[in-house]
Amino acid sequence: MAEGENEVRWDGLCSRDSTTRETALENIRQTILRKTEYLRSLKETPLRPSDRLSNIESSDGLNKLLAHLLMLSKRCPFKDVREKSEFILKILRVKQPVDMPPRRLVLSKQIVYEDAQMHALFADSFAALGRLDNITLVMVFHPQYLESFLKTQHYLLQMDGPLPLHYRHYIGIMAAARHQCSYLVNLHVNDFLHVGGDPKWLNGLENAPQKLQNLGELNKVLAHRPWLITKEHIEGLLKAEEHSWSLAELVHAVVLLTHYHSLASFTFGCGISPEIHCDGGHTFRPPSVSNYCICDITNGNHSVDEMHVNSAENVSVSDSFFEVEALMEKMRQLQECRDEEEASQEEMASRFEIEKRESMFVFSSDDEEVTPARDISRHFEDTSYGYKDFSRHGMHVPTFRVQDYCWEDHGYSLVNRLYPDVGQLIDEKFHIAYNLTYNTMAMHKDVDTSMLRRAIWNYIHCMFGIRYDDYDYGEINQLLDRSFKVYIKTVVCTPEKVTKRMYDSFWRQFKHSEKVHVNLLLIEARMQAELLYALRAITRYMT
Amino acid sequence: AGKEPTTSGEGRERQANPAALGLVPRADPVDSGSHFAPLLGLTDPGFSDCPDLKMSRVTTALGGSVLTGRTMHCHLDAPANAISVCRDAAQVVVAGRSIFKIYAIEEEQFVEKLNLRVGRKPSLNLSCADVVWHQMDENLLATAATNGVVVTWNLGRPSRNKQDQLFTEHKRTVNKVCFHPTEAHVLLSGSQDGFMKCFDLRRKDSVSTFSGEATEAGQDGKPWEWVMTGWVPVLPVLSCCVLRLHPSFAHGRMQDAECGANGACEDTLCGCSLGPLCVTPFHSQSESVRDVQFSIRDYFTFASTFENGNVQLWDIRRPDRCERMFTAHNGPVFCCDWHPEDRGWLATGGRDKMVKVWDMTTHRAKEMHCVQTIASVARVKWRPECRHHLATCSMMVDHNIYVWDVRRPFVPAAMFEEHRDVTTGIAWRHPHDPSFLLSGSKDSSLCQHLFRDASQPVERANPEGLCYGLFGDLAFAAKESLVAAESGRKPYTGDRRHPIFFKRKLDPAEPFAGLASSALSVFETEPGGGAMRWFVDTAERYALAGRPLAELCDHNAKVARELGRNQVAQTWTMLRTIYCSPGLLPTANLSHSVGKGGSCGLQLMNSFNLKDMAPGLGSETRLDRSKGDARSDTVLLDSSATLITNEDNEETEGSDVPADYLLGDVEGEDDELYLLDPEHTHPEEPECVLPQEAFPLRHEIVDTPPGPEHLQDKADSPHVSGSEADVASLAPVDSSFSLLSVSHALYDSRLPPDFFSVLVRDMLHFYAEQGDVQMAVSVLIVLGERVRKDIDEQTQEHWYTSYIDLLQRFRLWNVSNEVVKLSTSRAVSCLNQASTTLHVNCSHCKRPMSSRGWVCDRCHRCASMCAVCHHVVKGLFVWCQGCSHGGHLQHIMKWLEGSSHCPAGCGHLCEYS
């Protein structure tokens, strides 16, 4: 069988024209039929479908095809494609993947495409990428943010920019690998190869061009201890003779790195499962018992989920109900008392220090060592380099004062100057993330959550040693309880250690959408923190 | 006095103004020679608007004191965030995160006068984002702290700590504080939390609060009570007005309303609560306030700018809603400044790198000027006494301070480059002196800039501009002085194809009449002078490859001659002669007998000449012929001459002179001779439809390179070099010899190609410089390797790209593509390698053909069938865009001769053009 004929072209499906999609699907159908015929003829003996499917592993190509088709049947925003691919699967008597492990509830749940805006977003995303990834599906809880997010990501990866396309994906891989985020790595390995990247590079950073290898150090520091970035780092990258980066390229790279670091946080923070068509994302076998549970984000099912959690942890519903009430009460108090009780300057200063110091004791008690999967660890070197607390760090690093270098005034201008339009996009994204609110808290409506959001945002910046002069860090202690802090800290600093238990144990009364909202805040705050350090170093280099 | 200097010399001007200002003219040696005068006001109409009025006030303001100083700077201990000048113009306060000092400005230096940052433990209250010095009271200062505190300072306090009052009402960083220009106790602050607060310094808390969230109308149904945090009319003037203008806002009623709304009144002074904070509306996405400025001319008005790009205008008496709101910038508006003279003029600067000047007097705020800078604008300050000047500095990247004339928004009038890091604060030293500018910077320095020491980008700017219009018009703008100097000359006399209209237009709005007036000249092409017809014809008809060199040359010569371009035709003929003598034919031919080759060449030569003779020019036949030959001789002789001088001294004389003569002769004679027979145009040969199509030529291109390489090899062989020696001895035969013998001799000697290359190269350069890049490129392609090595890659590439550009402008896509294909330059030949994918749909099912080949895998039919012969078309397929039927080019052509309907029988009236 000629290889050329077996090539399946998926790009036709991304078209907005229904006839084009139909043609493309028909092509796919024929190819698959041909392939199965071929396989069947190879084996000669007719096999029972289940057998055949179990043996089909041998034919890697077909398996991939089917996986992709499965993804389409579930995910494609276009109804015709969904139906048709399901139909093809039925012909092949592939067992419907309803019986996938429950941990992947996100995937098995049919997405409802009623919301017009949501649908438009999905269609956009699908048309651009040819897939609808799980991140998008989770973020769609907040369509306003998602739109901005997708726009930015699309611009960073596909539009005009100083870096070649395969570099961009490779940098994405580098960044995600820093947090051992196999999900993102796999996603971008595919993309990387798709845009014509050299497969050799994937064997490890040492096989990539020297230029990218040079970026490794920045990647490492940026991911774990951004406050250590100095202008020497920048200088080292910009002045490396033939391997040197240009300023514009560097800014592009920095934006990509920070984007993927924070996206890795999101992936772990929300427990995004592997893509349906990637390894481990699907199964055609009956569900087996799987203990590898991260968490599920399903709006429809969350009540069931919650019950389960509650019963498991023996926390009464009323208990968690009081949590919300207590939080609300604290917010109210804070708002009222702020002007009455005036903390002295010294106290304010020390509060920041206290919060900073405390943040370092906040850590998950379980010290299970996560060993990275083989294929991911090869993308980064120096695995021992990880997050170290800002305050515990040996040498004295001065506090970063936002009033001296902030995103709105300084970072934006620099990014926009060197990588036009991106500053604007990121700025919008920050704004949306920071200001996003539905004025609800769990079961309460009409709540002003700005104080809470600000506390979360500033707490994350506090962990990175960034201080707001005009913020009373005592508020953080009032508003964020310990389990929540543990979660924040883990997601932001060592996302690979997030467990489902952590996810469940904070804010038990809150909806999943609200927890995703928190995650959005976390990742944007983290991205901004990293960007601020990196951009400040670049500014210092330039002056 | 003010009116007089406009025409006077620089020295006089400098003296005239200070005298009028009540200043003693200072002895300044640098002064008169500087380029300061024109900028100061020579050309500034605003300067002399109302001299009398202005001057009198200035005199009182300055009180007879003299401002002197020089450009100087001093080092601060820490980066500065803001500076402000005392009204006596002798002191400046610098504030930053860890600095708060007052410096005295002396003649030669800054002297630290007072450090206001006292206390062992520096508090955040001292971390200043902004500082302002009261313009009425020398002892009063206010700072805005990054933690949201507004602090006032009284320098008159006897203790070391001059701190006076502390206002801690803002929840976020205070970005700006501003004193009322005339009222002694009114202070305004704008903060990150989206509120502006007005303080009375005699009270402990704010008088009124203005919310940036407030809309212009205030009718969106939002509760306003939380905006008011306790209204107490303390200011006699203000409260009077309130009572008079808005009776409903009377104190008592306000109190009632508030108390009723909140039910929690604890304030000791008025019985009102400090503010109903518990009902903070949840829509409070109030945008941060970046700047607040009291209007200088309107007592009650102040402007505020916001992070979302809005500018609001407020009446200090109406805290419930703003008077006016408009979007000024895209992105945060970092700063604003009221014009000191013109009522209602507001300058704003934003992150979008613009400075805009608004006129607020009209019903809608009108944008009057817009200056585009290169970085976000952090501060903007109108320049005193110069109506249209303002100074700006940037927040990032750019460290300089610019002074702009807003009517001239592209080039700054002056530039100060002293700082090594971003400038954070600027202030004019005295409100009526335009020449002293103070600035503080992140690089921890404080600077005094003198205007006369500023650098002027105008001087470095390129004052000429040139642009082609759509229809070949040419516009040229230059400094008037430059044009005037050349006015005696007629512009563009060189080019006969563009006989000229000379149009001069002066922009009346140009403000710098004396300084930078420029003249714009427009050269129009002669109407109907489609002078480029020859270019198109030549491009279409030239043959560049695919035939033997001799034929190509012949063909091209003929084309050129038919178009009346005889010099070009001659060049082709000569090239043919030079390169097609059999001795030079590559490889295989070389083994042939030399004699035979020679005669062959001669025959060709003769027949060529005869054939091309105009029939009616009998008398001139000989001349013509001799000229043709002589030309080739010239070429030979000229280059051989150099050779001879090296090798054969004795015979130099004879050869040199005629060669020169002939060269000169050819130039003149050329036109004359051939212009005689304009009727000498052959009927155009019926051309094949797509003669230039590149497909059939592909093999040629691929095959070409090896050949010339052989040639080169041979050229280096001893055999050829032997012939070179022959040439040396034979060359001196000059034109007095019979033509035939000359030709014979030369051809027999088989001159190596290298021999001519210098000449050919010069010829190509000559054509290229003449503007006939077409010729240069055509010859380059036709001759291929024969000359390529003599011309450096870059020049070749330059020619190629220019020619391709020209071809594309004339829409000669085929030709341009052929040229691209034939070029050997890597950069050029990759031009047609981009976006080469062609998507094909099946002509039956109209679906895209996904697999390669001729069979549609959907309908299993051959896709591209010829509608005439019903075979698959592999190659050129022509089809009707109306019905998408078509077939072999030849077949369709034939078919259409007989019928206008579609050959497929679909009934469509096909059009093939």
Side-chain angles (χ1 to χ4, degrees), chain A residues 160-213:
Chain A
D160 290 342
L163 287 174
L165 292 180
H166 59 286
Y167 264 57
R168 304 182 192 186
H169 288 292
Y170 196 79
I171 291 172
I173 295 171
M174 284 169 69
R178 223 31 258 183
H179 285 306
Q180 300 150 35
C181 180
S182 58
Y183 170 80
L184 286 173
V185 170
N186 286 334
L187 213 58
H188 284 280
V189 163
N190 287 346
D191 288 345
F192 173 73
L193 295 174
H194 186 74
V195 297
D198 185 351
K200 256 187 263 157
W201 296 9
L202 296 175
N203 293 332
L205 192 57
E206 66 275 6
N207 297 310
Q210 184 63 38
K211 193 169 163 179
L212 283 169
Q213 288 184 34

Side-chain angles (χ1 to χ4, degrees), chain B residues 273-285:
Chain B
S273 82
L274 280 171
L277 284 158
C278 46
V279 289
T280 304
F282 47 77
H283 291 297
S284 66
Q285 294 183 6

Side-chain angles (χ1 to χ4, degrees), chain A residues 406-413, chain B residues 130 175-176 192 288-293 304-311 328-337 347-354 375-381 393-396 424:
Chain A
C406 66
W407 164 256
E408 283 81 10
D409 296 0
H410 306 93
Y412 170 90
S413 302
Chain B
D130 192 33
N175 287 319
K176 198 77 188 176
Q192 198 77 15
S288 308
V289 184
R290 298 310 296 249
D291 199 357
V292 284
Q293 289 291 339
S304 56
T305 70
F306 293 86
E307 205 140 79
N308 59 359
N310 284 347
V311 170
H329 290 265
N330 181 17
V333 191
F334 286 140
C335 52
C336 67
D337 195 31
T348 58
R351 195 173 68 179
D352 59 359
K353 307 180 192 172
M354 307 238 229
S376 55
V377 183
R379 310 264 175 194
V380 56
K381 283 270 179 281
C393 65
S394 131
M395 190 165 272
M396 271 299 282
T424 47

Side-chain angles (χ1 to χ4, degrees), chain A residues 36-55 93:
Chain A
T36 33
E37 286 307 314
Y38 171 71
L39 271 180
R40 198 167 285 163
S41 66
L42 258 190
K43 299 194 176 144
E44 282 173 359
T45 49
L47 291 160
R48 282 176 301 129
S50 59
D51 274 348
R52 189 166 58 81
L53 284 169
S54 59
N55 287 331
R93 279 164 293 167

Side-chain angles (χ1 to χ4, degrees), chain A residues 277-337:
Chain A
H277 62 285
C278 291
D279 292 343
H282 59 91
T283 176
F284 298 108
R285 293 197 206 99
S288 57
V289 183
S290 165
N291 297 321
Y292 168 65
C293 278
I294 307 175
C295 60
D296 310 313
I297 323 292
T298 42
N299 205 17
N301 301 5
H302 79 270
S303 52
V304 182
D305 204 29
E306 231 162 57
M307 292 301 280
H308 167 76
V309 170
N310 288 344
S311 61
E313 303 205 350
N314 293 324
V315 180
S316 69
V317 179
S318 59
D319 232 14
S320 54
F321 176 77
F322 286 134
E323 266 177 22
V324 184
E325 291 296 297
L327 184 56
M328 300 260 305
E329 185 54 38
K330 267 180 194 157
M331 283 169 68
R332 204 167 298 136
Q333 275 172 8
L334 273 175
Q335 227 153 17
E336 279 161 16
C337 322

Side-chain angles (χ1 to χ4, degrees), chain A residues 23 26-27 339 345 401 403-404 408-410 412-413 417 427 435 439 454 467 469-470 539 543, chain B residues 97 123-125 146-147 171-173 277 285 290 334 351 374 376 395-397 399 847 858:
Chain A
T23 325
E26 183 58 34
N27 281 338
D339 291 70
Q345 288 310 309
R401 307 272 190 163
Q403 268 73 14
D404 291 345
E408 283 81 10
D409 296 0
H410 306 93
Y412 170 90
S413 302
R417 186 185 182 87
D427 191 42
N435 291 327
N439 303 307
R454 192 166 167 221
R467 180 175 177 188
D469 281 347
D470 52 1
T539 310
T543 51
Chain B
R97 172 169 291 283
S123 124
L124 266 185
N125 292 348
T146 50
N147 63 349
K171 295 187 203 111
R172 305 281 307 269
T173 299
L277 284 158
Q285 294 183 6
R290 298 310 296 249
F334 286 140
R351 195 173 68 179
I374 58 167
S376 55
M395 190 165 272
M396 271 299 282
V397 190
H399 309 159
R847 307 267 157 72
R858 297 210 99 220

